[in-house]
Amino acid sequence: MKKYIYKHRLIAIVLIIFYGCKKSSFLETRPDDSLVVPTSLKDLQAILDNDAIMNGNASGVGLMPNSGEISYNSYYVNDANFGGVLTPLEQKLYKWDKQPFTGEPNILDWDLPYRSVFYSNVVLDGLKKITPEASQQSEFNNIYYSALFYRAHIFYQLAQIFAPVYASETASTDWGIPLRLTADVNEEIRRSTVAETYSKIIEDLKSCAGELTTNPLYKTRPSKQAACALLARVYLSMRNYDSAFVYADKSLQLYNKLVDYNILMVTNTNFPFLNIRFNDEVIFHCLLRECLPLRLGAAIVDNTIYNSYNNNDLRKADKNNDLLKGAFYRFISNTYSFRGSYYGSVQLFSGLATDELYLIRAECFARKNSTSQALSDLNALLIKRWRNTVQYTQVTATDAADALNKILEERKRELMFRGLFWTDLRRLNKEGRNISFTRTVLGQTYTLPPNDLRYTFPIPDNVINFNPGMPQNPRQ
Amino acid sequence: MLFPNPLPRPGNVTIKTLRVMKITAFLLTVISLHAAAGGHSQTITISTKNAPLEKIFAEIKKQTGYEFVYRWELLQNTKPVDIDVKNATVKQVLDFCLKDQPLDYKILDNLIVLNEKAEPKDVRPPPLPLTDITGKVTDSEGNPLAGASIKVKGTNNGATTNEKGEFTIIGVDENATLIITSVSHETQEIKLNGRKDITVQLKIKITELGIVSVTVNTGYQHIPKVQATGSFNHIDNELLNRRVSTNILDRIENLTPGVLFNRGEAANTDTLLIRGRSTIFANAQPLIVVDNFPYDGNLSNINPNDMESITILKDAAAASIWGARAGNGVIIITTKKGKTSKTRVELNSSITWQQKPDLFNVNQISSSDFIDLEKKLYSLGYYNGAITSPSHQPLTPVVDLLVAKTNGSVPAAQADALIEALKQYDSRNELQKYFYQLGVNQQHAISASGNTEHINYYMGIGYDRNLSTKVGQQYDRISIRSQNTFKITRKLELTVGLNHIQSIEKNGNNPGYNYYSNAGKFYYPYTQFADEAGRPLPIYLHYRRGWVDTVGSGKLLNWLYYPISEINNTISKTKIRNNMINAGINYKIMNSLSVDLKYNYQNQVSTLNDEYKDLSYFSRNLINNFTQIGAGGVLSYPIPRGGILDLFNSEITSHQGRAQANYSQAWGTRHQLAAIAGYEIRSVITNGNRNRLYGYNPALSSVNPNINYTTVYPQYGTPGATAQIATNQSISKKTDHFISYYANAAYTYNSRYILSASARMDEANLFGVKTNQKGTPLWSAGASWLLHKEDFYKSGLFPFLRLRVTYGYNGNISRSTSAYTTASYNISTITSAPTATIQNPPNEKLRWEKVGIINFGIDFELKNKIVSGSIEYYNKKATDLMGQAPVDPTLGLSQNFGGSYFFGNVASMKGNGVEIELNSRNLNRSVKWYTTFLFSYSSSKVTEYLMPLSSAGSTYLSTIGINPIIGKPVFALYSFRWRGLDPATGDPQGYLNGNTSKDYTGIYSATKIDSMIYNGPVQSPYFGALRNTINIKNWSLSINISYKLGYYFRKNKFSYNTIFSSWNGSGDYAQRWQKPGDEKTTNIPSMPGYPFTNLIARDQFFQYAEINVLKGDNIRLEDISLSYDLDKNQWVKMPFSHVRLYLYIANLGTLWIANKEKIDPYYDYNNGPRERKRISLGLNISF
């Protein structure tokens, strides 16, 4: 018997050796070292720093909705490219179809921005589980307000496409966008009103403007000046010009550098801004969703716009003068295509930059009848676009209205392909500027009258399918 | 009175009780004698011969007056007696007469009562001295026989043999008799006669299947196949060595039912499947086990010469002991051990030759057709874009000449003559000459092994050297294996094994026929690779000839591409070192109980070096592209001049431990129980890193570390393009941790009813959640009935008949998702910040995949084994499969290019199959002829899947992409309906919305899946082989024919666009529609009109039309094996004990192809070169 007990003890000892390492920790070892369950501030910051998803830097993808930009007429495609280059969805958007999304399995204009919202929410939910030490408090705060900024920015971008333009009189009854405020996949999804949408955006951005740093490590990260700049843009879209002025001004007081285009190295074939990718004008970097016509150079810049540049404007390309290679345009066989993205590639910059703020502040000055201040902002910008071998001609205006018109014209020249004009069109027509478009495709002419229902895109079908009862945007 | 005679044996422990009994008996006898003596005192005188007892009884009665009382029949079996006594007492007479008779007597007063002689029941013979004995049971060939039952005759003491055929019984009389029984063998009795260590050879029961003598190794235990309830296939050593190959798995193809090796296009789905697919997105590869533990290294590292046999576990009962990793079946490779007491040295050497592949199997457009086409396209202006493009697009020599002719730099007549001359070249001739060679594979192995009282040892060394049919490819492998078991005491054994493998694979830059330049060009049909003197010629597949010849005016590196020189300018070398150590202790606690402790360590280090020499095109091209022109035309080289070295290192380290108790006991002759229970722990860590070094100089072993990775440089070769210098650096670490508990029991009643049960619990570090949610319990149960052992079973036709049924679950692991939010780290290429990408949202309900299998089997054998075999039917249901389920994109789970879904346990599949193996002895005299026929049917389909059907049927055209459709196999072939060629134009026609259509884009993007043709599965559902073996004297010939039926493949994809833009393509071009009426004889569309409007869509529609889907069914002559065996007893002077010479021929081609075009589906993918015959010669000598 004794012998047997001894043997069993031996087995027991061996089993304990096998168990040597504690079982729970053995089974909790991460299966892949590059895989983490994000719990630390470092992890959460890394989620926000995922510029492919939060800023759209993934090549061939982008982030911000482009349906508006494709629908806007700063460019045209010829019939061959219409059939050969444009995707079916782009063709429908180009022709202002009533139901452009029908039959499309995925509407990336909706899906990718909401993915970025999910990332922000994962961070915001993750922060709730962290009690920062005193030394981490500022890092903690910066992550928190950054996440709020990214989310508010996306909400604003989505509202420009999927919600009607803000109008104070109907905002509380118009349908806005679903405001996803947690990462919980079980939370009900419903549309807010336009008033709710904008008030959430503004509320979050205002808190960001108070708390974010003025000195972000990367331009893909938000900052105090970015929050102010975005507020200015948001108020502008709401036609709240007083507030837009306040925040544009605030932002420019924090940061107002401009780039003198004379320093650009421009050759026939390059992208002029490639070597100064995050140039001095950029406040916050993000990219528009990519679309084929722009990527493949099939989008031909509208002649009226091209011709409206002064010949000494460095943004303009001149086919007759090889020395005058344009920062914005490339001359290819009698037509001009755009190459002026601040990202320095075919991917379109749609972030916040000081040039836009100068124009916002100028517009707001003009609307306040401060003509000279308006013109001084405008000229401060334009002199940086002027060939330095030629004397700069100051822009003048007969009155505030003239100045306003000139500033709005300059917006079209300066902010090409940044995804801003669709919003401009919606707000300017709302105040009676009566801008309408026509396009001719394969002999057929299409028209988009002012204030048309087609200025608000439909909610994607699969979203409605997942949420029966969600109101759809009327298109006719 | 008869008295048991006490045997005076000293030292008897029970002598005291015996003494008491003896006294009692003595007293009783005395009393009875007294009584008798009281009545009569006369004596008897009697003399008679051969007298029946009755007569003697009568005489006694007459002389003494004693009456006899007995039943009459008692005297029936008595013998007559010779007696001659004078004055003897009654007792003396009776004692004498009844001495050898079955009668006893009692004297009661004057009565003599006769009775049957009582056996001396109460009194045992004094016990013999007890001892512990050990022994070994083998079959008639000396192979250990596990699971045999040993009983000490007349006692309940006994034991069962372990996997090595060994047993120990404690406390046995040294003169006892042992009864050894085994289900598959004749029962044998052995008298110990004082021996303490015995070896018993059992004979196979004549009536039973050959396979029943086999023990199958499950990786945890060896069980006699006849006692197993589950579905096992065993490939013994002879069968394993039938084929000559470097890789062990190659040797099991077409030798066992249920195992499918996909070839051709289907090989891109799964290379190897056991019983079809039972998962959608998780790995479908079977688990591979070497001896006792899963093998984590590279399988090509295993030296087949060190391997004894392979067992394939297919159903739940067989495989469930492997739990969560058994869902795809398990392949157990068993290594060789010592067998004979004398040292056995074996030498095996073989050499294999393989002819150059047949490039003319490639259906390539002829040079003359292509040149005519080029001239036509040139005149149409098709090349104008390329000619004027700023990016120096390459042109073929013909187009170059046409340009020169046009601009006058070459006189027209001369240009025409040069062009005409090019028509005589066929690139395949020179490709075959310079890029292919006769392949020569050598394999040598030597081993020494033995099995003595104290040690079982095996030591083997192997060397392989393969020169591939492609120039510049070479593989070398050295393996050393040593496996020893020390029998320290009768109860304790220690096993230590060491295995070292080193292999080096070298590949030059030789893509052979399938070269595809980064400008998207193939070798044009008239490519010349060398001049008449054999000097390599440059080929312009990357940039324009005129440009690349003069670019950089001598300042840049030579930018020409010489395919022949490139073979040696880039060397890719993979070095793998694999070390394995295993150790084990087996301790016998009791006869019926032993404990095993096993440990296995594996470490595989592989280093892959891709060396691009300074002369390689890769290096020159990269350096040139990054070259920058500074002020004053000064060049700078962001990528330093010299070679480039890419390094990939990976290391797998695994530790595996196991503690297992083995219990095996028999009660009486009818009950037998064998059970194991154990605990296992496993840790596998995989580390990897890669790096690229620029400016590599092998002579000085130096590199240039001063590289600017951040600046974006314009590319010299492509105007407008920019790039950063690739770092090619990464590092990774993966950890797999498992803890498992398992138990398995088999109960045999009366050696004809067998019940088995198995259960296993696995826990892993997979999901990163709470420990108690990590595990999955899996179980199985089975029963087997040896029908022929029943008394009522009278069939003489089937002397062996067994029925089996099992049911249970195996698991499968998918690492595609996690129960918790997980993120993977990376570095932003734009900002260089660490970035985290969320891999999946939390899913707390995540479970492991489960495959339930019910299996029915019948094993039978006809009289004299004329035919034997087994038939199995199974039904599988795979549930909780990982799959995609669509979700609201608003949740934010979208993919970059669309699709919003999450991974979860949302899919199911089911499948069933039949497997038949028949073995027949057609002749069994001096000429022996055996046939083995294998048939497998296996089908599976998706039964549940939540993703919606894509609105575009084109999603489902890929044969290798996974786009499950409910009711169809995971890999299914779909095509567009074909309406024939337009008789007027030769345009292909299909259907759109039910109408004839030439809207190719519309057909491609808008045809719904239900309007498409479902052709069938990509993987063959019916397959098998027919193997005939003929033995005449010392010669043995074996021929294997295989077949695969019921599957489909897409034939070579004829595409105008490929021919136009890639410069090469299908020779079907010659069959194109050219004039009305051709549509009756051809399906190849006409040349599209220029300018091409819908070229790609038109091509795509045609490629994916139903007419281009062909039946894959084929029967092929797999191989022929011929061998000559000579034994020492046939030729006594021979210095070896056995010699075997063998010839093996493989890749003999098809015997029958179902499709009309006679396209062999094994080689059609890309219409690639066909492999040709492989011939091996070998010699096997044992001492």
Side-chain angles (χ1 to χ4, degrees), chain A residues 11 37 60 74 140 157 199 246 277 370 390 398 406 437 440 468-469 473:
Chain A
I11 297 166
V37 174
S74 52
F140 181 97
Q157 294 276 0
S199 82
V246 169
R277 184 161 262 177
S370 310
V390 179
T398 51
K406 284 187 166 142
F437 290 142
T440 306
N473 294 328

Side-chain angles (χ1 to χ4, degrees), chain B residues 823-840:
Chain B
S824 64
Y825 261 91
N826 222 316
I827 297 287
S828 164
T829 51
I830 310 296
T831 65
S832 302
T835 66
T837 304
I838 295 173
Q839 294 301 319
N840 54 271

Side-chain angles (χ1 to χ4, degrees), chain B residues 704-744:
Chain B
N704 187 334
N706 301 317
I707 310 294
N708 179 349
Y709 294 113
T710 49
T711 304
V712 181
Y713 295 102
Q715 299 290 286
Y716 206 109
T718 319
T722 55
Q724 285 167 290
I725 297 175
T727 64
N728 277 19
Q729 291 174 347
S730 70
I731 187 159
S732 70
K733 182 182 173 192
K734 288 185 173 143
T735 309
D736 289 358
H737 281 174
F738 281 89
I739 289 178
S740 311
Y741 312 86
Y742 58 91
N744 176 358

Side-chain angles (χ1 to χ4, degrees), chain B residues 634-845:
Chain B
V634 178
L635 299 190
S636 65
Y637 302 95
I639 293 186
R641 281 168 294 180
I644 294 171
L645 185 63
D646 274 346
L647 305 168
F648 306 83
N649 297 306
S650 69
E651 180 175 8
I652 304 170
T653 307
S654 82
H655 297 270
Q656 308 187 66
R658 180 185 294 170
Q660 179 174 312
N662 309 292
Y663 178 79
S664 157
Q665 179 67 293
W667 294 272
T669 49
R670 302 194 157 215
H671 307 277
Q672 210 183 317
L673 178 71
I676 58 165
Y679 160 82
E680 207 172 64
I681 186 163
R682 173 179 154 83
S683 157
V684 184
I685 295 173
T686 312
N687 280 305
N689 64 65
R690 54 184 290 180
N691 199 357
R692 171 174 281 182
L693 304 169
Y694 292 98
Y696 175 59
N697 182 344
L700 300 173
S701 237
S702 66
V703 296
N704 187 334
N706 301 317
I707 310 294
N708 179 349
Y709 294 113
T710 49
T711 304
V712 181
Y713 295 102
Q715 299 290 286
Y716 206 109
T718 319
T722 55
Q724 285 167 290
I725 297 175
T727 64
N728 277 19
Q729 291 174 347
S730 70
I731 187 159
S732 70
K733 182 182 173 192
K734 288 185 173 143
T735 309
D736 289 358
H737 281 174
F738 281 89
I739 289 178
S740 311
Y741 312 86
Y742 58 91
N744 176 358
Y747 167 72
T748 308
Y749 175 71
N750 209 5
S751 46
R752 64 189 69 156
Y753 308 109
I754 300 152
L755 290 174
S756 72
S758 160
R760 177 167 170 133
M761 171 85 174
D762 287 293
E763 294 177 351
N765 66 331
L766 274 182
F767 293 140
V769 265
K770 294 171 206 122
T771 308
N772 60 9
Q773 288 172 10
K774 291 177 183 195
T776 179
L778 295 161
W779 60 272
S780 76
S784 166
W785 181 22
L786 290 143
L787 199 59
H788 64 279
K789 292 209 170 186
E790 295 290 354
D791 295 332
F792 61 78
Y793 184 86
K794 298 275 189 267
S795 169
L797 184 63
F798 290 101
F800 178 90
L801 190 62
R802 177 168 72 143
L803 304 175
R804 291 181 276 123
V805 59
T806 65
Y807 180 70
Y809 288 94
N810 293 333
N812 202 0
I813 293 167
S814 170
R815 293 179 181 276
S816 45
T817 187
S818 149
Y820 210 77
T821 310
T822 55
S824 64
Y825 261 91
N826 222 316
I827 297 287
S828 164
T829 51
I830 310 296
T831 65
S832 302
T835 66
T837 304
I838 295 173
Q839 294 301 319
N840 54 271
N843 177 7
E844 277 165 18
K845 290 177 190 154

